[in-house]
Amino acid sequence: MNWAFQNPIRLEEGAPRHFEHVGYEAGLALWRRRRMIIGLIALALLAATAFLLTSEKRYAATSLVQIDFSRDDPTGRRTAGLPLDASALVETESRFVRSRTITRQVAEQLAAEAAAKPAARLGAPVPDPEQLESQIEQLARNLTVRNDSRSYLIEIGYTANTPAKAAEIANRFADTYLANRGETSSASARRAAEWYADQIEVTRKSLEQAERAAADYRRSSGIVETTAEGAVLLQQRLREISSQASAATLARVNEESRLERAKLAAAEGNIPPDIAALPQIQRLIESRETARRQASTQAAATGERHPSVIQARALQQEAEARLQNEVANALAAISEDVKSARRVEEELETGVGKAKSSLIDARAREAELRTLQSRADALRERLKVLNEGHMQARALSELKPVVAQIMAAAEPSRAPAGPKKGLTLALSGLGAAVFGGLLTFLLERRDVGFRKEEEVLAATGSPCIGLLPALQPGDARVNAATQREILRAIIATHRLAESGPAKVLLMTSALPEQGKSQALEALAHCLVEMGRRVLVVDASPRSELDGTGKAALEDIVAGSAARKRALESGRQWSPADMPLRNPLLRRRAPLAASEARQLSVVHRRGGLSDSASAFTPATLADLVMEARSSFDVVLIEAPPVLLAADALILAHFADIVLHAARWQDTPKATVAAAVKRLCDGGMRVHGVLLTQVDVERYASFQSFRAPSSAYRIRKYYADFD
């Protein structure tokens, strides 16, 4: 089966017209397949009716369960439940109702009750797992659980063949759910209490270890409590020592400056001001000046060599020596002061370093102690929270809270819930109609050949030159007349009946059994009827060799003498023989003797391989040349284009090339490939002839109803032919 989907159509200005055309074509397709669609709908309705008659009635029962997301603690206060979306929690509870666990418990309960009935046979075996699984699957299929996101209600429904059974199983599902829910809550509370107890024990031991570690560290570090006063005292002491160290540094610098000034003055022979201010230095300076004045006075009075002058000079020198000695002693004292200042500075700087180390160590010890105390406080707080949670969990496990309750139990309903007759019939009919439409679409999309004339030009690039109706029983006469007129139109269009040079017409096809032989023979008889001498060359291969001894195509192309004899001694038919041979030529009045026409037919004797040597351009050129001189029209029937190359050779000698295709039979792609092959060989296909056309079906591709002129046309041919 060939499927050919059309290429997308470019929508420009005619978009509304295009969609209108598509809708019209879809309606025509459905109209053509209306019998199939109606049959499918009838079958679907019959099947639905049979189902409704044979199926048993089903009854439904519903139980309503309300979910409560708040619970009572032992003190009577209402505390909020889980901080989650309520709709999500209701959906979770609904899934729990639909779970296989609940279904299995219900199935086991029903099995146990069935086994405990007095009517049950004594010693009956326990249902095997396969039977239990089958019952679980049946319960799950008939169970419906629905929840509303706007409320906290869960609707548990069950469908059974009796109202009582439906209500019983729906209530049993609700009871089983509540029992499991309460057991789950109690078990969860017990597990929480056990977990809290374990955590309390672990936390208590950790708290004891933390407190013991903090006490040991206090004893080892000597810190009673971590307060801010100790740090303030240490910082104040550090500031005092730092101030003293700064003062000692300043004093050392001053002493060193004083010593430098004194040494510089002594080196210049002067007495430093700091030393000159000393009392003993001032006395020695006065003694030296007194001795200098006496020596000067006596030297002026008595001369330099006088003993008194010499004695005065000796006293002056002695005073100067004592002065220098005192200055040296003063310089030594200043040096000692500098050394003392340096020692004091170093001692204070050492004290500052020790004070800083003490402060840092104290801060580290306090931080470590604070960390130990914080760990102990955190464990103490955790122990408090765990104790509260443990008390709550124990209270909940003892109270066994249930957060769901049955609001309305299921009751038996006498009105059957199914099957719904109207809905079943409507869905069956609608489904069949939709299936019929889809099937129609698939069938119409198949490439089953050309259905309308306009499809030929779009697919092959060549126009459709005619539609030859099929000769059906009852309408053979009308169809024969229609065929004859179509062929006469082809003859008139291509001017085959006009006087002038002989014309050669080649009839091709893509595949065998396309109706080209019948069309070509009918065309030949029409030409004979119109007074033309016609030569028909049947170049189609034969499966069986012709043993009649008549001249064949192979003999004609063998030599000029044989060709001349064959063309001159072609088959002759009298006017009386033609109507008997072809029903298309039947007329009311017999042909006159003056209307005798000549028709010659030449057949191929063998198959493709037997006569391949005869189909050469040189031999065929001679045949066509002599045929043009002896006949008015030469009609050549070529083998299928896609199966043999003879058509490509013969087409070079033809003036007109026609292609025959069976209507709604030969795929469009096949015909297009054949035409393309001829065009690729340099030949022009003048037109495509559709054969074996079903007139009634062809009209269904044009409109929903055959036009009123169709009856008049048929009546015209019936009355006047």
Side-chain angles (χ1 to χ4, degrees), residues 3 43 71 132 238 281 290 364 370 416 443 589:
W3 300 87
L43 289 177
R71 57 182 60 175
L132 185 60
L238 177 61
I281 298 299
T290 301
R370 194 176 294 109
L443 292 176

Side-chain angles (χ1 to χ4, degrees), residues 76-356:
R77 294 176 301 174
R78 302 281 293 182
T79 59
L82 296 175
L84 296 175
D85 187 12
S87 60
L89 293 176
V90 174
E91 177 63 26
T92 302
E93 297 298 323
S94 301
R95 295 182 64 181
F96 180 54
V97 176
R98 291 191 299 266
S99 65
R100 189 176 179 82
T101 302
I102 301 296
T103 308
R104 178 180 291 277
Q105 293 179 6
V106 172
E108 292 175 351
Q109 293 175 10
L110 293 176
E113 291 180 0
K117 289 182 179 180
R121 184 168 55 88
L122 296 177
V126 180
D128 56 1
E130 294 183 359
Q131 294 180 355
L132 185 60
E133 289 296 327
S134 176
Q135 188 174 5
I136 291 174
E137 294 296 333
Q138 183 179 2
L139 290 174
R141 284 194 304 268
N142 297 328
L143 177 67
T144 57
V145 180
R146 292 188 294 269
N147 60 283
D148 189 358
S149 59
R150 296 171 297 180
S151 63
Y152 298 158
L153 294 178
I154 297 178
E155 182 180 340
I156 303 175
Y158 190 81
T159 305
N161 53 2
T162 61
K165 183 177 180 181
E168 178 187 0
I169 296 179
N171 291 328
R172 193 175 294 274
F173 267 99
D175 295 338
T176 305
Y177 160 70
L178 292 179
N180 280 271
R181 193 66 181 82
E183 183 63 27
T184 301
S185 301
S186 178
S188 176
R190 286 196 299 271
R191 288 193 299 270
E194 294 174 358
W195 182 84
Y196 277 124
D198 295 338
Q199 293 298 316
I200 287 172
E201 184 65 24
V202 173
T203 306
R204 183 180 289 110
K205 293 181 180 179
S206 300
L207 178 60
E208 292 176 356
Q209 293 177 0
E211 291 178 347
R212 190 181 304 110
D216 294 341
Y217 190 79
R218 285 193 187 93
R219 286 193 294 270
S220 62
S221 61
I223 300 177
V224 179
E225 192 63 36
T226 56
T227 59
E229 295 179 359
V232 171
L233 293 175
L234 291 175
Q235 290 177 357
Q236 184 177 0
R237 181 182 175 187
L238 177 61
R239 284 195 295 269
E240 292 176 356
I241 296 176
S242 299
S243 299
Q244 293 176 4
S246 299
T249 301
L250 181 61
R252 174 186 58 78
V253 171
N254 292 332
E255 293 295 333
E256 289 178 351
S257 299
R258 178 185 174 192
L259 179 62
E260 291 294 332
R261 291 193 300 272
K263 287 182 178 181
L264 182 61
E268 294 177 353
N270 299 323
I271 298 174
D274 295 339
I275 297 176
L278 296 176
Q280 60 271 22
I281 298 299
Q282 290 179 358
R283 286 193 299 272
L284 290 174
I285 292 172
E286 292 175 357
S287 299
R288 185 189 65 177
E289 294 297 329
T290 301
R292 182 180 298 174
R293 285 193 301 270
Q294 290 177 1
S296 297
T297 302
Q298 291 179 3
T302 59
E304 291 290 338
R305 297 185 177 278
H306 191 274
S308 59
V309 173
I310 295 172
Q311 184 178 4
R313 295 289 184 186
L315 291 173
Q316 181 183 353
Q317 292 177 353
E318 181 181 2
E320 185 69 27
R322 285 200 303 271
L323 180 60
Q324 294 296 331
N325 188 20
E326 288 297 330
V327 169
N329 292 333
L331 290 175
I334 294 173
S335 297
E336 289 296 330
D337 293 340
V338 170
K339 292 179 181 179
S340 176
R342 288 176 178 173
R343 285 194 301 272
V344 172
E345 181 185 10
E346 291 176 356
E347 291 177 357
L348 290 175
E349 288 180 353
T350 303
V352 170
K354 290 181 179 179
K356 289 182 178 179

Side-chain angles (χ1 to χ4, degrees), residues 36-37 53 55 238 247 253 331 415 423 541 559 605 619 694:
M36 180 190 71
I37 297 175
L53 293 177
S55 60
L238 177 61
V253 171
L331 290 175
L423 181 61
R605 179 186 296 120
T619 58
D694 188 341

Side-chain angles (χ1 to χ4, degrees), residues 516-526 536 581-582 599 635:
K516 67 176 182 298
S517 299
Q518 181 183 358
L520 195 65
E521 184 179 358
L523 184 62
H525 285 77
C526 287
V536 178
R581 178 173 177 82
N582 189 355
L599 174 63
L635 303 178

Side-chain angles (χ1 to χ4, degrees), residues 539-559:
S540 299
R542 294 177 178 270
S543 59
E544 297 180 359
L545 298 178
D546 187 4
T548 59
K550 297 179 181 180
L553 184 59
E554 291 85 350
D555 301 329
I556 295 177
V557 298

